[in-house]
Amino acid sequence: MYRIAVLISGSGSNLQALFDAQDVGDLGAAEINLVVSDRADAYGLQRALQRDVAAAHIPLPPTPAGSDRRATRAAWEARLAAVVSAFQPDLVVLAGFMRILSPAFLQHFPDRVINQHPALLPSDGGETVMTSTGLRIPALRGAHVVDDALRLGLSMTGCTVHRVTPRVDDGPILAQAEIPILPADDAHSLHERIKTAERQLIVQVVRQLATSSPLTAQG
Ligand code: GRF
């Protein structure tokens, strides 16, 4: 069995795509054992509970006046790492998890954390990306990249699944898809098209990692 923990902050449509793939045997021996959200209202938690998959809400608490924000964050990350570690995941998937995780968290799961990002990222950590048609566009990082793509008037964007390293929205790329931006697009229509591609991509990557894992090969 290849164990997967999924961290979310929102609707969890990518999580649902993974559940659906698991149900039809499309993830090999992989199984999602845990879903964690930093937000209580993340619908993905309900998706997990409806299937009797463990679901945890681990909120980042406000920092008390006069206290060190870093200490609050470190304590929250330690709690998060402890809960995720208890489920002994082979893979931790950040599927719309809107918090940045520090090296202290990542060292609990070396090379085991992957993230999906709703834009194209370069493989060299640089500031631009070359599309398949030879177009050079800015590498969009952060939490507002769908809006950024429209604001910059780009004709192309996309989505990326990558391994997570201490550098934000960086790390070895596992899969990407390009999405043309249409003249009539607004943030909603563009994000919906990106998410349709993201759901296919995350299933493809998780299947590949799960089936190529030495753990799985050895049974
Ligand atoms: C995805 O676009 C992901 O890349 C972004 O948040 C969205 C998550 O969507 N970071 P959902 O919660 O899986 O529906």
Side-chain angles (χ1 to χ4, degrees):
M1 187 54 67
Y2 182 89
R3 303 168 62 84
I4 302 174
V6 182
L7 275 53
I8 59 162
S9 297
S11 134
S13 68
N14 285 279
L15 167 69
Q16 187 64 50
L18 290 169
F19 279 143
D20 293 345
Q22 182 183 313
D23 287 347
V24 296
D26 214 8
L27 293 186
E31 189 177 273
I32 298 166
N33 306 105
L34 172 67
V35 174
V36 180
S37 173
D38 61 316
R39 295 183 52 133
D41 60 355
Y43 182 63
L45 289 173
Q46 304 305 319
R47 297 182 195 268
L49 291 170
Q50 281 159 14
R51 302 172 56 99
D52 290 333
V53 169
H57 169 221
I58 306 180
L60 174 61
T63 303
S67 302
D68 184 356
R69 187 176 163 273
R70 283 169 304 183
T72 307
R73 248 203 111 82
W76 168 73
E77 270 200 346
R79 269 199 306 283
L80 184 64
V83 170
V84 176
S85 295
F87 283 79
Q88 301 184 312
D90 298 299
L91 185 69
V92 178
V93 180
L94 309 183
F97 186 65
M98 301 307 284
R99 300 276 180 192
I100 293 169
L101 295 169
S102 76
F105 178 90
L106 296 174
Q107 74 184 12
H108 289 274
F109 313 101
D111 286 329
R112 290 185 183 196
V113 185
I114 66 171
N115 179 49
Q116 46 180 185
H117 181 71
L120 296 174
L121 291 171
S123 54
D124 61 1
E127 297 305 317
T128 60
V129 194
M130 183 79 90
T131 69
S132 60
T133 55
L135 191 66
R136 191 165 281 286
I137 57 172
L140 304 178
R141 297 187 171 91
H144 308 288
V145 294
V146 177
D147 290 330
D148 292 344
L150 288 168
R151 186 175 46 78
L152 292 170
L154 303 183
S155 58
M156 185 73 87
T157 185
C159 53
T160 303
V161 180
H162 64 96
R163 288 194 190 276
V164 176
T165 66
R167 285 171 53 121
V168 177
D169 293 336
D170 200 1
I173 289 169
L174 299 168
Q176 275 184 323
E178 294 180 353
I179 314 282
I181 300 179
L182 307 177
D185 265 332
D186 58 17
H188 178 75
S189 65
L190 179 57
H191 200 182
E192 284 307 307
R193 264 201 337 285
I194 292 172
K195 283 175 68 166
T196 300
E198 284 188 294
R199 293 192 278 266
Q200 293 172 6
L201 219 55
I202 195 70
V203 167
Q204 175 192 316
V205 168
V206 169
R207 181 198 309 125
Q208 204 199 333
L209 293 174
T211 52
S212 65
S213 157
L215 293 170
T216 307
Q218 287 162 16

